């Protein structure tokens, strides 16, 4: 998921000193490629029986430009990310499935219509202020495709699977071993409503320490929730808690500029997302309880490779 949905969990330079500081030219960034065993959006693990696939691949380019008089205080951050669903991308079952099973209405139209989860493309731009104990970012995110795009196109009958959001991200780092943050999002085009994404991360060295660290361990507890987002949704989630997850990642610093991060997360549905399982049209018309949009519980493995420059 870029969490925004698009790349690996961020690793604080304050916590791990071997990540390079901003250069004298004020421009820095990273390029990430990765693989997930399941397609995940905002903590929601898409069901195999309905999405007709599991895994996804991602690529993301992040850029940071220092604009402050004091180095590493004010910056402009941007990112471009692309995530592909590698083995199927049909949500709620295609129309041919309905035709084969005779699931037609009185007018000869299938009850179950196509709900594609398209490949996801995201662009983010933000202004960030960094202090000694954390940072605050105010930004904009454009998303085409993915789970948010499916909500816009199929549940709000938009002409394109596009969503525009503004967000406020606050991160507090009281110690090198702990970080707490929250991202508040307001979607204003495609779908209208609020997303809340708080998290807490605990960090510890596994191999090496300080500037000689080779491997670190990060344990994250996070959730996502909505308000007013699904008020007009058709057989979509209800507002409230959408997902809860625990993620363990172990970034390995092959060099100061190249990081390999294997990770595993354990994801549970919140009460809001559970409504989608109860009101699934495919489940209702087939009487098959496995044909739901999300997994009630999912284990997601991932690996990312990041080059920092």
């Amino acid at each position: 998921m870029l969490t925004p949905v698009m790349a690996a969990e961020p690793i604080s330079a304050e916590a791990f000193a071997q990540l390079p500081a901003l250069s004298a030219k004020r421009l820095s960034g990273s390029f990430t490629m990765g693989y997930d065993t399941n397609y995940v959006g905002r903590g929601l693990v898409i069901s195999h029986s309905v999405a007709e696939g599991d895994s996804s691949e991602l690529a993301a380019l992040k850029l940071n430009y220092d604009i402050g008089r004091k180095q590493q205080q004010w910056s402009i951050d941007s990112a471009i990310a692309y995530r592909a669903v590698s083995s199927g991308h049909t949500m709620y079952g295609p129309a041919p499935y309905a035709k084969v099973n005779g699931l037609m209405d009185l007018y000869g139209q299938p009850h179950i219509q196509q709900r594609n989860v398209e490949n996801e493309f995201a662009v983010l731009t933000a202004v960030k202020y960094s202090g000694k104990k954390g940072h605050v970012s105010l930004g904009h995110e454009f998303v085409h495709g993915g789970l948010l795009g499916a909500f816009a196109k199929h549940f709000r009958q938009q002409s394109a699977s596009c969503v525009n959001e503004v967000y406020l991200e606050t991160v507090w780092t009281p110690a090198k071993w702990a970080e707490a943050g929250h991202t508040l999002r307001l979607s204003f085009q495609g779908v209208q409503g609020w997303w809340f994404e708080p998290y807490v991360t605990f960090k510890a060295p596994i191999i090496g320490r300080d500037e000689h660290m080779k491997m670190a361990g990060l344990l994250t507890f996070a959730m996502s929730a909505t308000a007013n987002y699904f008020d007009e949704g058709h057989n979509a989630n209800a507002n409230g808690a959408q997902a809860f997850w625990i993620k363990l990642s172990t970034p390995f610093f092959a060099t100061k500029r190249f990081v390999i991060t294997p990770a595993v997360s354990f994801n549970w549905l919140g009460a809001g997302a559970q409504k989608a399982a109860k009101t699934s049209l495919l489940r209702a018309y087939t009487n098959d309880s496995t044909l739901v949009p999300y997994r009630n519980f999912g284990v997601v493995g991932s690996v990312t490779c990041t080059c920092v420059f």
Side-chain angles (χ1 to χ4, degrees):
M1 226 187 55
L2 301 180
T3 325
V5 168
M6 76 264 180
E9 291 290 333
I11 301 171
S12 171
E14 181 179 353
F16 303 112
Q18 66 272 47
L19 288 180
L22 288 172
S23 67
K25 295 180 180 180
R26 292 178 173 257
L27 179 66
S28 63
S30 66
F31 178 72
T32 298
M33 297 187 68
Y35 170 84
D36 291 341
T37 57
N38 287 92
Y39 180 85
V40 182
R42 300 282 163 95
L44 299 168
V45 182
I46 305 301
S47 167
H48 174 87
S49 61
V50 175
E52 299 181 335
D54 289 309
S55 57
S56 65
E57 296 80 37
L58 69 89
L61 174 66
K62 292 183 178 181
L63 296 174
N64 175 289
Y65 189 75
D66 188 354
I67 59 174
R69 293 185 177 180
K70 290 185 177 181
Q71 196 174 30
Q72 297 187 18
Q73 188 173 71
W74 287 95
S75 64
I76 297 176
D77 294 353
S78 61
I80 299 175
Y82 186 81
R83 183 182 294 273
V85 184
S86 57
S87 55
H89 55 278
T90 302
M91 189 175 182
Y92 284 127
Y97 180 93
K99 293 179 180 179
V100 169
N101 289 271
L103 302 177
M104 314 295 287
D105 62 19
L106 295 177
Y107 302 98
Q109 298 297 318
H111 289 295
I112 315 300
Q113 297 185 3
Q114 202 166 10
R115 299 289 188 265
N116 285 336
V117 177
E118 303 169 32
N119 291 343
E120 182 178 314
F121 174 73
V123 179
L124 293 85
T125 306
V127 176
K128 181 169 73 175
Y129 173 80
S130 300
K132 293 182 178 180
K133 294 293 185 179
H135 70 260
V136 178
S137 296
L138 177 63
H140 169 266
E141 180 175 6
F142 166 80
V143 180
H144 181 279
L147 188 63
L148 300 185
F151 289 149
K153 186 173 182 178
H154 302 299
F155 299 129
R156 293 293 178 88
Q157 291 77 48
Q158 301 295 308
S159 58
S161 54
C162 298
V163 172
N164 275 284
E165 298 178 324
V166 291
Y167 66 90
L168 176 67
E169 178 188 67
T170 56
V171 175
W172 178 48
T173 310
K176 288 186 176 181
W177 53 268
E179 180 177 289
H182 180 261
T183 303
L184 175 64
R185 302 175 185 274
L186 173 61
S187 179
F188 61 89
Q189 187 271 328
V191 183
Q192 291 77 44
W194 298 87
W195 278 90
F196 309 92
E197 298 170 60
Y199 75 91
V200 176
T201 296
F202 299 98
K203 312 171 185 180
I206 297 176
I207 301 176
R209 291 182 180 278
D210 300 326
E211 67 273 10
H212 302 295
M213 188 182 302
K214 293 297 292 182
M215 179 179 289
L218 286 76
L219 181 63
T220 298
F221 299 86
M223 72 164 297
S224 65
T226 60
N228 306 117
Y229 198 85
F230 296 106
D231 288 349
E232 301 174 13
H234 174 63
N235 290 306
N237 311 14
N239 287 306
Q242 302 301 314
F244 300 88
W245 63 96
I246 301 173
K247 184 172 184 177
L248 174 64
S249 56
T250 55
F252 174 74
F253 299 88
T255 69
K256 289 185 177 182
R257 296 182 180 273
F258 187 71
V259 186
I260 301 171
T261 307
V264 60
S265 69
F266 304 89
N267 298 53
W268 292 266
L269 284 187
Q274 290 176 8
K275 180 199 171 186
K278 296 177 182 177
T279 60
S280 167
L281 288 178
L282 193 57
R283 175 182 180 178
Y285 284 111
T286 61
N287 201 29
D288 185 343
S289 61
T290 67
L291 299 179
V292 292
Y294 315 116
R295 296 189 179 190
N296 191 53
F297 171 71
V299 180
V300 183
S302 66
V303 61
T304 58
C305 299
T306 300
C307 180
V308 180
F309 55 86

